[in-house]
């Protein structure tokens, strides 16, 4: 894209907003290509910028941006972070392209800190999970998105200190050895995730409809899996002897 100077009425913030709209909105780029800058510009400042845009370069940059968002890290990507979730969505007819386009056009994407070192923001994984959860009605999908997000967040908490992003997911508590959280999922959802490291039989094998599922960061790495109700008591909000007993037991196991 050709570098341009902001027009008299277009400051740096509005210039950035215009360029991001061009990169994220395929319909806007198509209108610019078909109808010209005058049809798209809202004022003389925008017209000055749009008139200098190299359309081929713009399309190339937009494709690179989509790839950067879908594969934000070396060795990691939204596709590899949410494989089970994406399979569930693909079973309903959604494609990766549909999901990425919807995410880029959603307010959830704006909460992702796209440009490093600019301002605090969510990780791409948490922003994408928020987008998926907003429209998710099926329990299996909600559970699976949440589980895969928690694995991503706890992997980062285990490996990346200090974090380069903020976490808004509720219920993650600090421990003497790192962090911990518990979630309650449908037993049928947990059964589709394969073996876990929790050391307990699957909830369905225990004859229950729901399962407590815990995540822990420790110096040895990430631990997660189905836990008993007594372990889940460690995460109760208010102080109690029951909560402290559960936390002492987890600390003895090297998890708290």
């Amino acid at each position: 894209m050709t570098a341009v100077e902001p027009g008299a009425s277009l400051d740096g913030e509005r210039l950035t907003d215009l360029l991001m709209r061009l990169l994220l909105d395929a319909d806007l780029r198509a209108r610019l290509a078909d109808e010209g800058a005058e049809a798209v510009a809202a004022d003389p400042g925008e017209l000055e910028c749009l008139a200098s845009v190299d359309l081929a370069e713009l399309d190339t940059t937009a494709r690179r941006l989509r790839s950067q968002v879908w594969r934000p890290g070396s060795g990691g990507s939204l596709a590899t972070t949410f494989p089970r979730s994406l399979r569930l969505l693909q079973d309903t007819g959604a494609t990766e392209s549909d999901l990425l386009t919807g995410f880029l056009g959603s307010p959830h994407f704006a909460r992702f800190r796209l440009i490093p070192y600019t301002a605090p923001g969510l990780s791409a994984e948490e922003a994408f999970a928020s987008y998926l959860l907003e429209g998710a009605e099926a329990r299996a999908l909600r559970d699976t998105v949440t589980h895969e997000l928690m694995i991503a967040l706890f992997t980062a908490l285990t490996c990346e200190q200090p974090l380069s992003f903020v976490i808004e997911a509720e219920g993650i508590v600090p421990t003497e050895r790192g962090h911990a959280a518990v979630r309650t999922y449908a037993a049928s959802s947990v059964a589709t995730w394969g073996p876990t490291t929790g050391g307990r039989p699957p909830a369905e094998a225990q004859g229950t409809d729901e399962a407590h599922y815990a995540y822990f960061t420790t110096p040895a790495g990430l631990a997660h899996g189905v836990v008993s109700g007594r372990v889940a008591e460690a995460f109760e909000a208010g102080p109690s002897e029951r909560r402290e007993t559960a936390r002492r037991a987890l600390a003895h196991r090297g998890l708290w």
Side-chain angles (χ1 to χ4, degrees), residues 139-254:
R139 176 70 182 273
L141 178 59
R142 296 188 64 83
D143 286 349
T144 302
V145 170
T146 300
H147 170 62
E148 292 183 324
L149 170 63
M150 295 297 287
I151 292 294
L153 293 178
F154 270 76
T155 298
L157 286 168
T158 301
C159 304
E160 183 182 341
Q161 293 296 332
L163 290 178
S164 60
F165 53 86
V166 298
I167 293 176
E168 292 187 358
E170 296 180 352
I172 298 178
V173 298
T175 70
E176 291 296 325
R177 291 175 171 82
H179 295 81
V182 70
R183 295 289 187 269
T184 300
Y185 301 122
S188 57
S189 299
V190 176
T192 67
W193 300 340
T196 70
T197 58
R200 288 180 59 81
E204 284 190 325
Q206 301 174 49
T208 58
D209 294 329
E210 295 196 327
H212 299 299
Y213 199 106
Y215 308 82
F216 302 94
T217 63
T218 74
L222 168 63
H224 62 95
V226 176
V227 296
S228 69
R230 296 184 69 175
V231 170
E233 291 171 357
F235 297 89
E236 292 181 352
S240 67
E241 181 58 32
R242 184 171 61 183
R243 186 186 76 171
E244 296 310 311
T245 298
R247 292 186 175 185
R248 285 195 295 269
L250 288 170
H252 182 71
R253 295 165 54 188

Side-chain angles (χ1 to χ4, degrees), residues 4-189:
V4 296
E5 294 295 330
S9 61
L10 199 64
D11 59 22
E13 183 176 349
R14 289 190 60 216
L15 173 61
T16 300
D17 176 70
L18 174 62
L19 294 179
M20 288 305 298
R21 283 191 284 121
L22 285 169
L23 292 172
L24 300 176
D25 190 337
D27 291 337
L28 181 60
R29 293 197 303 275
R31 283 190 60 208
L32 177 61
D34 296 339
E35 303 175 30
E38 291 186 358
V40 174
D43 55 48
E46 287 195 0
L47 178 59
E48 179 182 354
C49 294
L50 292 170
S52 64
V53 168
D54 183 315
L55 296 177
E57 185 78 14
L58 176 63
D59 284 340
T60 298
T61 304
R63 287 195 298 272
R64 287 174 179 166
L65 174 63
R66 288 174 66 90
S67 178
Q68 179 184 352
V69 172
W70 197 247
R71 297 176 175 80
S74 58
S77 70
L78 296 180
T80 57
T81 299
F82 298 96
R84 297 183 182 94
S85 301
L86 293 178
R87 283 198 295 270
L88 290 173
L89 287 162
Q90 287 165 356
D91 287 343
T92 68
T95 67
E96 288 188 358
S97 180
D98 293 336
L99 294 169
L100 179 55
T101 298
F103 175 45
L104 293 176
S106 75
H108 302 283
F109 176 71
R111 301 169 65 202
F112 161 50
R113 189 207 54 185
L114 178 63
I115 304 173
Y117 313 114
T118 52
L122 298 182
S123 64
E125 292 81 4
E126 186 167 3
F128 186 60
S130 298
Y131 165 69
L132 295 181
L133 289 170
E134 183 179 58
E137 296 181 359
R139 176 70 182 273
L141 178 59
R142 296 188 64 83
D143 286 349
T144 302
V145 170
T146 300
H147 170 62
E148 292 183 324
L149 170 63
M150 295 297 287
I151 292 294
L153 293 178
F154 270 76
T155 298
L157 286 168
T158 301
C159 304
E160 183 182 341
Q161 293 296 332
L163 290 178
S164 60
F165 53 86
V166 298
I167 293 176
E168 292 187 358
E170 296 180 352
I172 298 178
V173 298
T175 70
E176 291 296 325
R177 291 175 171 82
H179 295 81
V182 70
R183 295 289 187 269
T184 300
Y185 301 122
S188 57
S189 299

